[in-house]
């Protein structure tokens, strides 16, 4: 709100203000604002918008007999390929997995975030650090660590054997991928949830209890609706990367359960069908775009 | 109707609230210290004290938002000390109202009834009634952000009263309002209480608010309940220096008990002053500025006690004048209505400050 007024030009002496001068001053202010944003704009346009345009162009191109791509004979063939049963299965499997990952993250994170948001500042900060600690290790390393835990002689197999469930191999299954995805995404759910629960006036919870609501009713009618911005933000932050996840399914998943990310990479590198890879990438982005718009529509209003 | 007449009588006589030896500790801090308090049905009761005196903690224990460390708390004869808030027949008007921001006025007011699974038709009827009671008709669809402070307060009142609680608790109900609105709401709250006939217990740090609104006042300091009584009792017969000082303006003169009807002031003069304290104990003589008289030193009425000092300053308040009179051993304030004529000494003049025996009270120091 309060901004130093930018003068249109350096003046020798101050003069009485006029509406024209005021208008010129505000124009100058917005010009300078634009100038400040320019480096980031330029970077985004050059390395994001332009490549995106290239991907879009390729999605309408034709694959030639030699595995190359001809930038001619524009068609929708690549998009038609998405109706293919194999691709459709992969699409649905990825969607399902992303939704499930998001839900599990939400259920696991919500109590944690609530606990954290209602502690004193010291406990709060310690817990925040705990949430961040995994980021100190490389993402790839962490995924390989899960390979050890879930593998043949790993912790999980040993536990399931010990409690009499028999030898269960989790590695290279969809469950393994989901465990890995939930693990990797938890902080992205916890942090927005924490931020939005922390802002809720705790006397509202007391008021709800005073007005005969049980603990669960208070959660359902007061706490959850008021933390909706965090729920939606966290869900998008988990859902979107899970949908296009590549590294975790590659490392923990099996060959039978190809997901969208791996499939797109295969199209570009192995199958050498760039138009299909490009069109899939584009559809994926459209889904994410819709999710984000939904967020700003619902979350934005409640903020 | 029950044939067991005795039982019936017991229920009729049960106090709305009965606190026995209620104590609340937070770690090593004693917030409320061994408080005994009985509040009758239909009473408008004020818990008064400076911030941090334990009044809000006491209120929260009655609401069930805070668990007492020990002691008994009965609501209409039923032990309730450990009941959760949703199981108590009391409702609270929170200090900053705590209206649910994602709900309209109407939904806010209906919340308690909905949680109690009251039939929909009845909810609609009672909500309409409650909104009428606090005169908020036409604002049913507003959200709390679209309401003024006074309107929010009315919503908070309606939201609590709609449940027909046996006791209504109010935490600094007028604290967030500006002066003009606060004075208006004081009268309104009192009228509302008379209309609904429910026991109101409110917490305030504003002695004037307590005196104006309450039937009885409980004065708290540092977790201790110092005195309980009607506004007149508390104002005219404070039990100790703290209460005398906290309620209204007062002059406190250090003194020592000489006998059960004489005290010795700090200047060595013996004056009549009734007290039942031990001879030799240190006390304070409490003389309210408006109860003190002021005369030319040679014109003090025969039945008045007086001390002579020098007029130090005069503060003009419009409807009254406050004279500050200095002595070598004390300083007194005398408040006189601004009437035409009468004695008007000048600053620097020698004046006599006088009082009759019934104007003073001797309190524990």
């Amino acid at each position: 709100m309060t901004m130093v007024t930018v003068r249109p030009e350096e003046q020798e002496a101050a003069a009485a203000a006029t509406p024209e001068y005021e208008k010129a001053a505000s124009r100058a202010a917005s010009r300078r604002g634009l100038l400040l944003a320019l480096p980031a704009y330029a970077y985004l346009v050059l390395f994001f918008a332009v490549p995106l345009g290239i991907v879009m162009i390729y999605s309408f191109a034709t694959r030639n007999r030699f595995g190359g791509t001809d930038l001619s004979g524009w068609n929708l063939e690549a998009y038609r390929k998405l109706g293919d049963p194999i691709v459709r299965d992969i699409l649905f499997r990825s969607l399902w997995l992303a939704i499930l990952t998001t839900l599990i993250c939400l259920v696991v994170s919500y109590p944690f975030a609530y606990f954290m948001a209602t502690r004193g500042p010291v406990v709060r900060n310690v817990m925040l650090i705990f949430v961040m600690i995994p980021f100190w290790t490389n993402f790839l390393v962490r995924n390989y660590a899960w390979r050890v835990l879930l593998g043949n002689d790993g912790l999980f197999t040993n536990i399931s054997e010990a409690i009499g469930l028999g030898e269960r191999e989790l590695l290279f299954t969809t469950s393994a991928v989901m465990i890995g995805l939930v693990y990797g995404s938890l902080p992205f759910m916890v942090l927005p949830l924490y931020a939005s629960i922390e802002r809720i006036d705790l006397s509202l919870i007391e008021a709800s209890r005073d007005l005969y609501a049980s603990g669960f009713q208070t959660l359902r009618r007061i706490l959850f609706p008021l933390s909706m911005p965090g729920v939606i933000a966290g869900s998008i932050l988990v859902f979107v990367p899970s949908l296009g996840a590549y590294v975790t399914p590659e490392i923990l998943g099996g060959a039978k359960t190809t997901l969208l990310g791996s499939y797109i990479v295969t199209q570009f590198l192995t199958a050498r069908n760039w138009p299909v890879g490009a069109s899939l990438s584009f559809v994926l982005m459209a889904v994410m775009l819709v999710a984000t718009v939904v967020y700003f529509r619902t979350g934005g209003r409640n903020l | 109707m029950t044939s067991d007449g005795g039982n019936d009588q017991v229920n009729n006589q049960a106090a709305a609230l009965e606190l026995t030896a209620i104590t609340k500790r937070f770690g090593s801090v004693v917030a409320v210290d061994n408080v005994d308090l009985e509040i009758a049905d239909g009473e408008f009761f004020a818990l008064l004290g400076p911030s941090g005196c334990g009044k809000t903690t006491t209120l929260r224990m009655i609401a069930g938002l805070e668990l007492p460390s020990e002691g008994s708390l009965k609501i209409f004869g039923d032990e309730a000390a450990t009941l959760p808030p949703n199981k108590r027949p009391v409702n609270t008007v929170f200090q900053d109202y705590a209206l649910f921001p994602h709900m309209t006025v109407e939904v806010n007011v209906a919340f308690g009834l909905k949680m109690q699974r009251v039939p929909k038709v009845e909810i609609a009827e009672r909500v309409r009634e409650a909104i009428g009671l606090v005169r908020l008709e036409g604002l049913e669809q507003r959200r709390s952000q679209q309401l003024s402070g006074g309107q929010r307060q009315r919503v908070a009142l309606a939201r609590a009263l709609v449940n027909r609680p046996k006791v209504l608790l109010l935490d600094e109900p007028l604290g967030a309002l500006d002066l003009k609105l606060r004075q208006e709401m004081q009268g309104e709250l009192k009228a509302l209480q008379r209309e609904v006939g429910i026991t109101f217990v409110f917490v305030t740090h504003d002695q004037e608010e307590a005196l104006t609104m309450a039937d009885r006042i409980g004065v708290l300091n540092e977790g201790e309940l110092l005195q309980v009584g009607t506004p007149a009792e508390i104002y005219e017969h404070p039990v100790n220096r703290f209460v005398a000082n906290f309620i209204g303006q007062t002059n406190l003169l250090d003194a020592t008990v000489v006998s059960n009807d004489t005290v010795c002031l700090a200047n060595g003069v013996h004056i009549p002053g009734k007290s039942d304290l031990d001879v030799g104990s240190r006390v304070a003589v409490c003389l309210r500025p408006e109860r003190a008289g002021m005369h030319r030193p040679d014109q003090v009425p025969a039945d008045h006690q007086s001390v002579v000092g020098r007029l130090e300053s005069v503060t003009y308040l419009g409807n009254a004048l406050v004279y500050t009179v200095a002595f070598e051993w004390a300083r007194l304030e005398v408040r006189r209505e601004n009437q035409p004529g009468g004695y008007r000494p000048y600053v620097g003049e020698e004046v006599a400050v006088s009082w009759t025996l019934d104007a003073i009270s001797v309190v524990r120091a």
Side-chain angles (χ1 to χ4, degrees):
Chain A
M1 290 294 146
T2 47
M3 220 165 121
V4 177
T5 311
V6 181
R7 302 289 187 278
E9 70 274 338
E10 289 300 325
Q11 277 188 321
E12 290 298 302
T18 60
E20 292 73 34
Y21 186 84
E22 188 192 37
K23 221 176 267 170
S26 85
R27 267 200 307 273
S30 67
R31 254 201 318 277
R32 279 174 215 205
L34 197 68
L35 205 65
L36 290 172
L38 201 61
Y41 264 132
Y43 194 91
L44 276 176
V45 167
L46 205 62
F47 298 111
F48 185 72
V50 170
L52 207 63
I54 296 174
V55 172
M56 192 175 79
I57 291 169
Y58 269 86
S59 74
F60 295 115
T62 329
R63 176 182 185 257
N64 63 27
R65 282 182 291 144
F66 314 107
T69 309
D70 293 335
L71 292 175
S72 59
W74 308 108
N75 61 73
L76 289 171
E77 197 49 45
Y79 287 93
R80 233 165 264 141
K81 183 92 181 348
L82 302 185
D84 196 290
I86 301 170
V87 183
R88 216 176 42 211
D89 279 358
I90 292 172
L91 204 69
F92 280 129
R93 189 185 302 135
S94 298
L95 254 169
W96 172 236
L97 197 68
I99 291 172
L100 215 59
T101 302
T102 309
L103 284 178
I104 292 174
C105 277
L106 185 62
V107 171
V108 173
S109 305
Y110 203 91
F112 182 81
Y114 177 76
F115 182 79
M116 195 157 78
T118 49
R119 291 312 103 174
V122 177
V123 178
R124 225 180 248 205
N125 287 335
V126 170
M127 289 180 81
L128 268 176
I129 290 170
F130 280 150
V131 174
M132 309 283 202
I133 280 180
F135 289 119
W136 299 352
T137 314
N138 184 284
F139 185 60
L140 263 175
V141 174
R142 283 185 282 143
N143 273 289
Y144 275 107
W146 272 105
R147 211 170 180 162
V148 176
L149 285 173
L150 297 170
N152 225 337
D153 203 25
L155 187 69
F156 280 74
T157 337
N158 289 343
I159 289 174
S160 81
E161 262 181 280
I163 60 175
L165 288 173
E167 195 181 331
R168 281 187 173 226
E169 178 97 39
L170 272 175
L171 194 57
F172 306 132
T173 65
T174 316
S175 307
V177 176
M178 204 176 60
I179 290 172
L181 284 176
V182 167
Y183 163 78
S185 322
L186 267 180
F188 298 104
M189 183 63 94
V190 168
L191 293 178
L193 279 180
Y194 163 75
S196 75
I197 294 175
E198 195 244 7
R199 277 180 19 204
I200 298 174
D201 180 1
L202 290 184
S203 71
L204 295 177
I205 291 166
E206 294 189 334
S208 161
R209 300 283 283 149
D210 184 66
L211 293 165
Y212 310 104
S214 65
F216 180 73
Q217 283 169 321
T218 302
L219 172 68
R220 198 167 84 88
R221 308 255 178 191
I222 308 296
L223 197 58
F224 196 73
L226 287 175
S227 60
M228 218 31 157
V231 171
I232 293 170
S235 297
I236 286 172
L237 286 178
V238 173
F239 178 77
V240 168
S242 296
L243 190 59
Y246 174 67
V247 174
T248 304
E250 263 321 271
I251 296 173
L252 301 176
K256 282 185 206 152
T257 53
T258 309
L259 294 174
L260 218 44
S262 317
Y263 188 76
I264 291 172
V265 172
T266 313
Q267 290 310 306
F268 277 109
L269 299 185
T270 318
R272 303 209 47 86
N273 195 340
W274 286 24
V276 169
S279 66
L280 252 178
S281 304
F282 238 80
V283 168
L284 197 58
M285 272 202 308
V287 172
M288 295 170 184
L289 187 72
V290 168
T292 315
V293 168
V294 166
Y295 166 61
F296 282 117
R297 277 288 175 81
T298 53
R301 217 183 311 135
N302 283 338
L303 282 177
Chain B
M1 282 295 135
T2 165
S3 57
D4 189 352
N7 199 9
D8 214 359
Q9 209 176 359
V10 167
N11 280 334
N12 282 340
Q13 285 180 346
L17 285 170
E18 192 184 341
L19 280 63
T20 316
I22 283 282
T23 298
K24 177 67 187 178
R25 286 180 284 267
F26 293 106
S28 61
V29 180
V30 183
V32 176
D33 192 4
N34 202 18
V35 163
D36 293 309
L37 178 63
E38 226 182 278
I39 297 173
D41 189 13
E43 224 179 344
F44 199 150
F45 193 92
L47 281 169
L48 174 66
S51 64
C53 71
K55 56 191 193 297
T56 296
T57 306
T58 307
L59 197 80
R60 288 170 59 82
M61 285 193 283
I62 301 172
L65 299 169
E66 211 80 69
L67 182 69
S69 303
E70 52 189 291
S72 149
L73 191 160
K74 287 183 179 163
I75 302 173
F76 283 93
D78 299 324
E79 183 58 58
T82 57
L83 277 185
N86 53 335
K87 298 272 159 62
R88 296 183 188 216
V90 301
N91 288 111
T92 309
V93 174
F94 288 83
Q95 183 164 13
D96 41 14
Y97 314 135
L99 300 181
F100 304 129
H102 58 305
M103 297 176 181
T104 61
V105 167
E106 201 171 34
V107 181
N108 259 289
V109 175
F111 189 83
L113 297 177
K114 210 190 250 169
M115 292 301 110
Q116 294 176 90
R117 302 189 195 290
V118 172
K120 275 212 172 76
V121 187
E122 197 190 330
I123 292 183
E125 173 61 27
R126 279 167 71 173
V127 167
R128 209 174 46 77
E129 207 178 287
I131 287 177
L133 189 68
V134 296
R135 297 188 283 112
L136 277 177
E137 295 98 339
L139 299 179
E140 289 89 344
Q141 302 311 322
R142 295 270 187 96
R143 280 170 189 256
S144 64
Q145 305 93 299
Q146 302 165 302
L147 298 175
S148 70
Q151 289 168 336
R152 277 181 212 186
Q153 209 231 10
R154 287 163 201 269
V155 178
L157 272 168
R159 188 177 69 171
L161 285 173
V162 76
N163 302 292
R164 296 179 187 147
K166 288 186 171 166
V167 179
L168 183 73
L169 308 173
L170 305 105
D171 188 1
E172 300 271 3
L174 308 177
L177 306 179
D178 56 45
L179 184 68
K180 189 101 174 63
L181 198 55
R182 196 154 66 220
Q183 287 168 342
E184 218 177 280
M185 283 306 287
Q186 281 179 5
E188 234 175 86
L189 260 183
K190 186 136 179 121
L192 189 67
Q193 195 258 346
R194 252 184 250 121
E195 192 176 338
V196 296
I198 293 172
T199 311
F200 277 32
V201 179
F202 80 104
V203 151
T204 182
H205 64 271
D206 182 341
Q207 45 98 12
E208 192 202 306
E209 201 172 288
L211 290 174
T212 322
M213 290 200 292
D215 297 327
R216 282 200 308 152
I217 299 171
V219 185
L220 277 153
N221 188 38
E222 292 177 353
E224 266 183 87
L225 187 61
L226 300 176
Q227 187 173 5
V228 178
T230 63
E233 281 166 8
I234 299 229
Y235 189 79
E236 285 163 36
H237 304 289
V239 291
N240 65 15
R241 201 187 180 98
F242 176 84
V243 177
N245 229 340
F246 193 73
I247 316 286
Q249 297 292 316
T250 198
N251 296 300
L252 288 167
L253 299 172
D254 292 324
T256 322
V257 178
V258 176
S259 71
N260 61 3
D261 55 6
T262 314
V263 295
C264 175
L265 291 178
N267 61 348
V269 173
H270 285 51
I271 60 161
K274 280 195 186 359
S275 75
D276 47 12
L277 296 165
D278 293 335
V279 171
S281 46
R282 302 196 38 76
V283 291
V285 173
C286 167
L287 175 62
R288 299 280 180 193
E290 74 278 8
R291 299 190 153 200
M294 204 171 51
H295 303 277
R296 225 184 287 281
D298 53 354
Q299 285 177 355
V300 179
D303 58 337
H304 282 222
Q305 297 292 318
S306 69
V307 282
V308 176
R310 198 178 48 79
L311 181 59
E312 194 177 70
S313 67
V314 182
T315 308
Y316 184 78
L317 298 179
N319 60 350
L321 293 144
V322 174
Y323 299 93
T324 307
V325 183
F327 308 91
E328 272 167 30
W329 50 282
R331 181 174 273 123
L332 284 175
E333 279 191 353
V334 179
R335 184 187 167 104
R336 302 274 79 194
E337 293 302 308
N338 189 2
Q339 306 260 348
Y343 179 45
R344 287 273 175 100
Y346 295 101
V347 171
E349 224 176 299
E350 289 248 300
V351 295
V353 176
S354 71
W355 62 87
T356 53
L357 188 53
D358 54 2
I360 58 164
S361 54
V362 177
V363 301
R364 265 175 289 154

